[in-house]
């Protein structure tokens, strides 16, 4: 039997690679928690691993191509170590309903959508029984305790999946319909993080503000809100030790008055990331975003009225099928009207299985997509530089997350990267005041106040 060939004291090793968004990173922390519960330790060297696991992303074709490109390496690794287990999870496995991707992944032993990670211990035990020291099984993967690198910042998933079916997006297929975690579990996790030194939490969900608690009775009778997401924010805000609250990504239609009001909670960062995707009503309709340009601008106006000076970020797709040059200009004018600090701009790429591919031809040329991206990039750089300039000679508060070569760095309350000279390693994980002396497009430089 295989397990006779492995010395009893050898600790099995896993090599876990994560692609894509923060949700995937948080899922990987759960996978790491699950594997360490089985007695595995992590290795950076895939040649030294008993289990290689890829947590994949499907948002762009390039992300998927990267995974297919790994298969050659895996064939070579398996030739050297036939007992090696190779596993693929995440969005590619989630949306591959017909098994077309799997067919191109010959060396892969385990292939499963994210929620099925709960079965990983059993599958590993079936393939390599000698590697598994216990088989404690959860039926809900969100109940698995994530294994995190110690830090003052942590991501907490409050919801998975999505019901919105934007026509360009694979998420509802890859991750399934929206599922919300019980508020009790979320708050217990945040309390536990605070007890372990975390001071900034980022709540994660595909449309985080559409959160509906399966257990609203968890909310305190003192909670001033009725909207479940605003209520959750208030409860997180009450947890001693937590100093900064951040969340991503909300949907404009779920920016209720109460959620907008919760932006004024004292621990809430002074930043809102609100994806708009396009500025033309025609394009928004074909994207199935279910709001108009006017409605989006109305939300932004309310946000700015409630929290003047808030920094704003967004996501934009350029070159969506049928987007004319004039319609793209509406995106540019909306960008200017909102005065966003930052945009994560993508050039449309058709994703198989989405409604966008079935309904519309990808009729904006690559060059034109690139041109539109460049136009927006220039507007963004000009806006960012102007807005950052306003911080010069002011004092910001920076949560230090890195100290290297005499330079400390971290984010301000507006989620802007700030750097300043420092040598004390104890600053990492602390919030410190910094006077800004220089503003660049993507960075503020300053000096720490004593
Ligand atoms: S809201 Fe739209 S873009 Fe966001 S995850 Fe859901 S379907 Fe995708």
């Amino acid at each position: 039997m295989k397990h006779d060939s492995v010395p009893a004291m050898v600790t099995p090793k896993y090599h876990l690679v994560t692609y894509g968004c923060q949700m995937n990173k948080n899922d990987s922390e759960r996978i790491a928690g699950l594997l360490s519960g089985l007695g595995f330790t992590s290795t950076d060297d895939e040649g030294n691993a008993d289990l290689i696991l890829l947590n994949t992303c499907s948002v762009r074709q390039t992300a998927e191509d990267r995974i297919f490109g790994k298969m050659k390496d895996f064939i070579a690794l398996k030739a050297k170590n036939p007992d090696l287990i190779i596993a693929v999870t995440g969005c590619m496995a989630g949306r591959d309903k017909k098994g077309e991707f799997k067919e191109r992944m010959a060396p892969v032993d385990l292939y499963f959508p994210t929620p099925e990670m709960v079965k990983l211990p059993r599958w590993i035990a079936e393939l390599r029984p000698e590697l598994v020291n216990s088989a404690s099984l959860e039926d809900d993967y969100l109940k698995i305790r994530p294994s995190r690198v110690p830090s003052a910042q942590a991501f907490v998933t409050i919801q998975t999946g999505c019901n919105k079916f934007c026509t360009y997006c694979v998420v509802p297929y890859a991750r399934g319909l929206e599922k919300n975690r019980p508020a009790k579990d979320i708050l217990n996790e945040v309390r536990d993080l605070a007890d372990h030194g975390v001071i900034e939490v980022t709540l994660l969900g595909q449309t985080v503000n559409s959160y509906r608690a399966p257990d609203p009775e968890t909310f305190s009778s003192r909670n001033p809100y009725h909207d479940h997401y605003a209520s959750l924010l208030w409860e997180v805000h009450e947890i001693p030790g937590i100093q900064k609250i951040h969340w991503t990504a909300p949907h404009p239609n779920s920016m209720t008055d109460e959620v907008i009001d919760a932006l004024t909670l004292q621990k809430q960062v002074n930043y809102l990331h609100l994806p708009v995707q396009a500025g033309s009503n025609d394009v928004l309709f074909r994207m199935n975003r279910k709001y108009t340009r006017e409605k989006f601008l109305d939300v932004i106006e309310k946000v700015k009225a409630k929290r003047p000076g808030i920094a704003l970020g967004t996501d934009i797709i350029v070159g969506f099928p049928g987007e004319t040059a004039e319609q793209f200009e509406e995106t540019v004018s909306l960008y200017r009207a909102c005065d966003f600090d930052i945009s994560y701009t993508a050039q449309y790429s058709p994703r198989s299985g989405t409604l966008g591919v079935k309904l519309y031809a990808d009729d904006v040329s690559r060059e034109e997509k690139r041109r539109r991206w460049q136009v927006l990039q220039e507007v963004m750089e000009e806006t960012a530089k102007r807005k950052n300039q306003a911080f010069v000679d002011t004092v910001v508060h920076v949560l230090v997350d890195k100290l290297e070569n005499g330079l400390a760095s971290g984010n301000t309350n507006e989620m802007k990267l700030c750097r300043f000279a420092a040598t004390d390693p104890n600053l990492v994980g602390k919030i410190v005041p910094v006077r800004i002396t220089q503003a660049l497009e993507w960075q503020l430089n300053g000096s720490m106040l004593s």
Side-chain angles (χ1 to χ4, degrees):
M1 278 166 62
K2 276 179 190 164
H3 59 277
D4 290 338
S5 63
V6 174
M9 295 308 288
V10 170
T11 305
K13 295 194 174 58
Y14 70 89
H15 177 73
L16 173 58
V17 189
T18 310
Y19 299 85
C21 64
Q22 287 303 344
M23 298 275 292
N24 265 16
K25 288 182 188 142
N26 194 231
D27 289 337
S28 284
E29 289 174 344
R30 272 175 227 290
I31 293 169
L34 191 70
L35 292 172
S36 75
L38 294 177
F40 279 68
T41 58
S42 160
T43 174
D44 291 336
D45 175 8
E46 60 181 15
N48 190 25
D50 299 283
L51 165 69
I52 296 177
L53 207 147
L54 306 185
N55 190 3
T56 61
C57 169
S58 257
V59 168
R60 312 241 165 283
Q61 187 61 47
T62 46
E64 292 185 347
D65 290 344
R66 226 176 291 155
I67 303 299
F68 293 127
K70 294 288 292 175
M71 296 304 137
K72 247 202 267 160
D73 301 346
F74 291 159
I75 290 169
L77 284 169
K78 280 220 164 197
K80 279 193 211 146
N81 175 11
D83 286 341
L84 171 66
I85 301 174
I86 296 176
V88 169
T89 185
C91 289
M92 281 180 81
R95 81 188 192 93
D96 185 20
K97 307 291 183 232
K98 293 185 189 152
E100 287 161 340
F101 297 158
K102 175 72 176 70
E103 270 179 19
R104 298 171 60 190
M105 298 186 190
V108 170
D109 304 286
L110 301 174
Y111 185 74
F112 54 94
T114 308
E116 289 192 23
M117 73 169 78
V118 290
K119 298 179 190 157
L120 198 51
R122 201 182 72 212
W123 290 330
I124 297 172
E126 281 167 12
L127 289 166
R128 302 272 310 268
E130 75 282 10
L131 296 184
V132 178
N133 68 4
S134 75
S136 65
L137 292 179
E138 282 286 0
D139 55 357
D140 180 352
Y141 89 97
L142 289 172
K143 289 195 193 296
I144 297 168
R145 197 188 163 104
S147 166
R148 297 176 163 103
V149 177
S151 163
Q153 296 155 291
F155 293 91
V156 176
T157 296
I158 69 163
Q159 171 199 70
T160 62
C162 182
N163 295 342
K164 301 282 192 292
F165 289 92
C166 301
T167 52
Y168 53 82
C169 180
V170 297
V171 166
Y173 311 96
R175 289 185 168 267
L177 296 179
E178 181 182 305
K179 185 174 171 220
N180 294 293
R181 278 180 84 190
K184 190 164 172 237
D185 291 1
I186 297 167
L187 295 170
N188 282 342
E189 185 174 343
V190 177
R191 277 184 208 108
D192 186 56
L193 288 167
D195 288 347
H196 288 86
V198 168
I199 59 176
E200 179 188 290
V201 281
T202 302
L203 305 183
L204 296 177
Q206 300 294 349
T207 56
V208 72
N209 55 341
S210 68
Y211 176 77
R212 290 291 165 270
D215 55 343
E217 66 282 0
T218 298
F219 298 137
S220 145
S221 55
R222 291 185 300 114
N223 195 316
Y225 297 123
H226 300 286
D227 178 290
H228 285 198
Y229 186 60
S231 301
L232 183 72
L233 288 172
W234 187 88
E235 299 286 344
V236 172
H237 189 266
E238 288 291 286
I239 294 174
I242 296 300
Q243 297 180 41
K244 288 177 88 172
I245 302 170
H246 178 218
W247 29 283
T248 192
H251 191 283
N253 286 356
S254 300
M255 288 301 295
T256 63
D257 288 348
E258 288 197 350
V259 172
I260 293 173
D261 189 75
L263 289 170
T264 62
L265 290 169
Q266 184 250 324
K267 297 177 184 174
Q268 164 70 40
V269 295
N270 195 23
Y271 174 76
L272 174 68
H273 185 88
L274 191 62
V276 64
Q277 308 298 2
S280 144
N281 281 338
D282 186 53
V283 177
L284 286 170
F285 178 78
R286 280 180 290 116
M287 286 178 161
N288 195 30
R289 290 293 290 175
K290 297 197 173 82
Y291 53 81
T292 59
R293 170 192 179 92
E294 292 72 28
K295 155 98 187 185
F296 187 88
L297 286 168
D298 185 49
V299 170
I300 292 291
E301 199 177 310
K302 283 184 182 169
V303 166
K304 287 181 174 175
K306 197 51 103 171
R307 189 146 182 180
I310 192 167
L312 295 168
T314 196
D315 296 330
I316 291 175
I317 298 172
V318 296
F320 188 76
E323 183 187 67
T324 63
E326 292 73 32
Q327 287 169 341
F328 167 68
E329 285 306 320
E330 291 186 66
T331 301
V332 177
S333 72
L334 180 127
Y335 193 99
R336 290 194 195 278
C338 296
D339 209 22
F340 289 115
D341 292 72
I342 191 164
S343 166
Y344 297 89
T345 307
Q347 299 170 46
Y348 174 74
S349 104
R351 314 303 299 120
S352 61
T354 59
L355 274 175
V357 165
K358 289 179 192 140
L359 296 174
Y360 314 120
D362 181 20
D363 56 0
V364 180
S365 70
R366 211 184 249 199
E367 298 69 44
E368 180 59 11
K369 284 177 188 166
R370 172 86 204 156
R371 183 193 73 79
R372 293 179 193 178
W373 183 89
Q374 192 59 43
V375 169
L376 262 184
Q377 198 66 14
E378 280 163 24
V379 175
M380 178 170 75
E381 284 174 15
E382 166 203 315
T383 317
K385 193 155 188 205
R386 170 176 50 76
K387 294 189 82 172
N388 283 356
Q389 201 60 38
F391 287 94
V392 173
D393 275 340
T394 69
V395 175
V396 298
H397 290 85
V398 178
L399 171 50
V400 181
D401 61 22
K402 211 174 4 169
L403 199 139
E404 247 174 24
N405 307 324
L407 217 51
S409 61
N411 280 341
T412 69
N413 214 19
E414 288 73 27
M415 305 307 275
K416 290 178 189 282
L417 177 66
C418 178
R419 292 212 166 103
F420 56 95
T423 49
D424 180 0
N426 293 321
L427 290 177
V428 176
K430 304 244 162 54
I431 296 176
V432 299
V434 176
R435 181 173 296 282
I436 300 304
T437 51
Q438 186 191 30
L440 308 174
E441 283 99 330
W442 308 123
Q443 187 179 316
L444 299 170
N445 294 329
S447 46
M448 190 173 80
L449 301 181
S450 52

